[in-house]
Amino acid sequence: MESPDFDDWVAQRGAALLRFAYLVTRDHTRAEEAVQDALIAAYSRWSRICRAQDPEAYVRRCIVNADISRWRRFFRRETPTDDAGTSHAAPHRAAPDHAVAQAEHDAVWALCATLPAKQRAAVVLRYYEDLPDAEIAVILDCSPATVRSQIHRALASLRTAIGTEEVKR
Amino acid sequence: MDSNEQLIADSLSKHAADAPSNDHLLEAVHARLHRRRTARALGAIVVAAAAVATAITASHNLPTELHTDPQIAQQPAPGWRWESYKTVQVQVPSSWTQYISGPAPCTPSASASAPVVGRFNDWLGKYGYTCEDAVLPLDRRLPYLWFNDVQAPGIKQYDGGWSEETRIVGGTKVSVLTNNEALRRRIVDSARPITGTDYYGCTPTESLASGTPVNAEVTSAGVCEYYKGTLVAGSRLSTPQVTQLARLLRTAPTGRPVAPPPGCQDTSPRTYVVTLHTRSASWPVRIMYSTCDVSYKFATDDGKTQRLVGYPVIDLLRTGVHKPNQPSDLFDPAHPLTPSPR
């Protein structure tokens, strides 16, 4: 199969890659850098990558690995600040108005920051990209069983933090 | 998918909308590839002559690859501008030009009828001031965006068709009061946590700013104001001010701070991190400002060299968002200026 043109592919998929990178890194600058780094790495071996697999899986894997490597380098996990902690409280569900829904989204967003990078990536790929276990496994370079385990742990952590009943998939 | 999973999916979808734009992604990638090829070619030539020189060249070129322009992804809508405070930035109409420090709603508008952008600055006696009103009387009421006020999150309906919405974004409260629900919602919905830098290039907490002075023509300058290391406001200087500021900073003499007058206590010292941009380089300058220091202010340009700058520099910086109205009568809790609670 003929490789897609690199520029055309980036023009078509760039926005989606940046959204994915932003949800994983949670930072504009790091998201841009991660996507650019991944694309630069892919550029020199574009034909080979396209022959072997879906280039998107390769680029997404680079983005996730960049985020994981970053945390390994600094030996720390992202933790919310004291100020942000005000939004970590269990969201109030009684009044489903505009502001409450917003508060819920912000609280979940803040809680996602406490997840390890790979778990967060798995959550993004499942709940934002809506990918099946097998495709997530290819991107995260692990088995589908590991993907299920990662998501289960992530949901358990979020469930504990939110303080709701058991989360089942 | 259960309710928690749905909540996660919804939250991710909402925040994905904040992702950087891809408008310049391809250009940025090709620019970096070009620089990388150039650096490698140059490196190969230099290796042949001197291995040491190659290392210097690489270390000089590679860091610039990571520079991204925060403006590209965050342009405000036409007729709107960004306002930043602590960890959040919000868009407001450009006509909202009245800046006030203090608590809403008990800080009355100072003069004109322009809508207000208020900041509950921590140095205004936050815990010594009592104000129990929910909203000012209708005839004194103005639309506002208020940062970090005491209001609880949620939507409150007032008389005359006015409503106020308070949201916590990035850990900072954002309150918007208007008599136009669509406008209120648009402003609140524009609120974004500052995850890296804001539109003006400001970080939520003061970061080390130092750099070598640049001699080329300065094309723009971002101003980040900090109080005790926390972002108070960001702005961008207009062209004439930029040129004047660059000239004043370049010609500022080196020197040391003078001792403050005996007994002078400045409760609100400010730091301005000003970044002057040329077409190819940036020059960050850190300027300390204190009312106790009546003669000179101090700027450092390389982290070590201190320069003395005068009021012409401070006056250029302390305008608009950096010079809010601070009504002094707010400080008397026993005799509040505002009407009784309703």
Side-chain angles (χ1 to χ4, degrees):
Chain A
M1 191 174 68
E2 191 179 345
S3 302
D5 178 74
F6 178 82
D7 285 7
D8 289 346
W9 188 85
V10 173
Q12 193 179 4
R13 299 303 304 155
L17 293 171
L18 282 163
R19 285 195 295 270
F20 170 69
Y22 177 65
L23 292 176
V24 171
T25 63
R26 306 166 56 78
D27 182 277
H28 277 103
T29 303
R30 292 213 307 272
E32 288 174 325
E33 288 173 4
V35 172
Q36 289 176 23
D37 288 346
L39 291 172
I40 286 167
Y43 182 83
S44 58
R45 53 185 83 100
W46 186 244
S47 298
R48 200 164 4 128
I49 290 167
C50 293
R51 276 198 303 273
Q53 62 180 308
D54 175 6
E56 186 146 347
Y58 174 89
V59 173
R60 286 176 188 266
R61 191 183 309 139
C62 289
I63 291 169
V64 173
N65 288 341
D67 197 47
I68 292 170
S69 301
R70 177 179 177 276
W71 293 122
R72 281 181 182 154
R73 275 199 305 275
F74 289 97
F75 288 98
R76 64 181 172 90
R77 274 174 55 182
E78 186 174 350
T79 51
T81 63
D82 288 344
D83 272 355
T86 56
S87 62
H88 295 173
H92 175 56
R93 306 253 184 137
D97 71 15
H98 174 56
V100 171
Q102 179 66 36
E104 287 181 336
H105 293 155
D106 287 343
V108 171
W109 176 246
L111 290 170
C112 282
T114 64
L115 297 175
K118 200 159 188 173
Q119 279 185 25
R120 189 161 64 235
V123 166
V124 171
L125 291 166
R126 163 61 50 77
Y127 295 108
Y128 177 67
E129 303 286 353
D130 202 23
L131 295 182
D133 293 343
E135 288 186 35
I136 298 174
V138 171
I139 293 170
L140 297 184
D141 199 20
C142 63
S143 69
T146 305
V147 169
R148 285 191 288 276
S149 167
Q150 294 274 7
I151 291 174
H152 178 79
R153 285 181 196 164
L155 285 176
S157 301
L158 294 174
R159 181 199 66 215
T160 303
I162 294 173
T164 57
E165 295 300 317
E166 185 180 1
V167 177
K168 295 175 182 173
R169 179 173 168 77
Chain B
M1 191 179 285
D2 67 19
S3 62
N4 287 300
E5 290 175 295
Q6 188 60 53
L7 188 59
I8 293 168
D10 291 346
S11 174
L12 292 174
S13 291
K14 179 189 170 298
H15 284 93
D18 298 340
S21 160
N22 71 325
D23 288 349
H24 300 271
L25 176 61
L26 199 53
E27 293 169 34
V29 169
H30 280 297
R32 286 184 54 185
L33 285 166
H34 176 72
R35 278 199 295 268
R36 177 174 285 197
R37 282 193 292 268
T38 305
R40 282 180 178 166
L42 182 61
I45 293 167
V46 176
V47 160
V52 174
T54 304
I56 295 169
T57 304
S59 67
H60 181 71
N61 283 333
L62 291 178
T64 63
E65 287 193 353
L66 299 179
H67 178 74
T68 52
D69 186 348
Q71 296 178 43
I72 289 172
Q74 303 176 49
Q75 285 291 347
W80 291 64
R81 70 167 186 279
W82 284 109
E83 289 287 341
S84 302
Y85 185 77
K86 293 189 174 178
T87 56
V88 67
Q89 58 181 342
V90 186
Q91 285 190 34
V92 294
S94 301
S95 58
W96 290 36
T97 52
Q98 191 175 183
Y99 290 105
I100 291 182
S101 285
C106 297
T107 310
S109 59
S111 54
S113 58
V116 172
V117 176
R119 288 168 166 81
F120 194 160
N121 293 326
D122 289 334
W123 61 83
L124 279 181
K126 183 174 180 176
Y127 301 107
Y129 175 68
T130 57
C131 172
E132 298 176 357
D133 285 0
V135 66
L136 285 176
L138 201 50
D139 60 347
R140 299 177 64 186
R141 204 175 298 166
L142 287 172
Y144 64 63
L145 157 69
W146 220 284
F147 289 106
N148 237 17
D149 192 38
V150 295
Q151 303 280 13
I155 298 177
K156 293 163 281 290
Q157 300 292 339
Y158 302 127
D159 57 326
W162 288 68
S163 62
E164 179 169 20
E165 180 168 355
T166 298
R167 217 183 261 179
I168 299 174
V169 180
T172 300
K173 274 186 191 171
V174 173
S175 299
V176 178
L177 172 77
T178 68
N179 55 356
N180 178 333
E181 188 164 344
L183 176 62
R184 185 204 80 211
R185 196 163 173 145
R186 178 172 176 181
I187 295 171
V188 175
D189 281 346
S190 74
R192 300 281 183 270
I194 304 173
T195 51
T197 57
D198 72 354
Y199 174 67
Y200 304 105
C202 306
T203 51
T205 53
E206 188 185 341
S207 53
L208 185 64
S210 63
T212 309
V214 289
N215 292 319
E217 181 191 5
V218 174
T219 54
S220 65
V223 180
C224 308
E225 179 182 349
Y226 295 92
Y227 170 68
K228 293 184 177 176
T230 300
L231 181 65
V232 174
S235 70
R236 190 162 293 149
L237 289 180
S238 58
T239 307
Q241 280 76 27
V242 166
T243 306
Q244 193 180 353
L245 180 66
R247 182 178 56 77
L248 289 168
L249 288 173
R250 282 177 186 138
T251 56
T254 57
R256 305 292 302 173
V258 294
C264 182
Q265 280 193 321
D266 185 0
T267 56
S268 57
R270 246 61 57 84
T271 300
Y272 300 93
V273 175
V274 182
T275 306
L276 299 102
H277 302 281
T278 69
R279 294 193 190 285
S280 59
S282 295
W283 175 23
V285 179
R286 187 168 181 265
I287 297 173
M288 283 74 78
Y289 169 73
S290 166
T291 53
C292 283
D293 170 24
V294 294
S295 56
Y296 289 107
K297 312 303 167 189
F298 302 93
T300 58
D301 52 25
D302 61 0
K304 297 174 188 171
T305 306
Q306 290 194 329
R307 294 177 181 273
L308 307 177
V309 298
Y311 277 107
V313 166
I314 298 302
D315 290 343
L316 281 174
L317 301 178
R318 298 204 70 218
T319 60
V321 67
H322 304 293
K323 195 176 182 183
N325 239 293
Q326 301 185 47
S328 58
D329 46 10
L330 287 175
F331 289 101
D332 185 0
H335 305 94
L337 189 70
T338 47
S340 304
R342 287 186 288 176

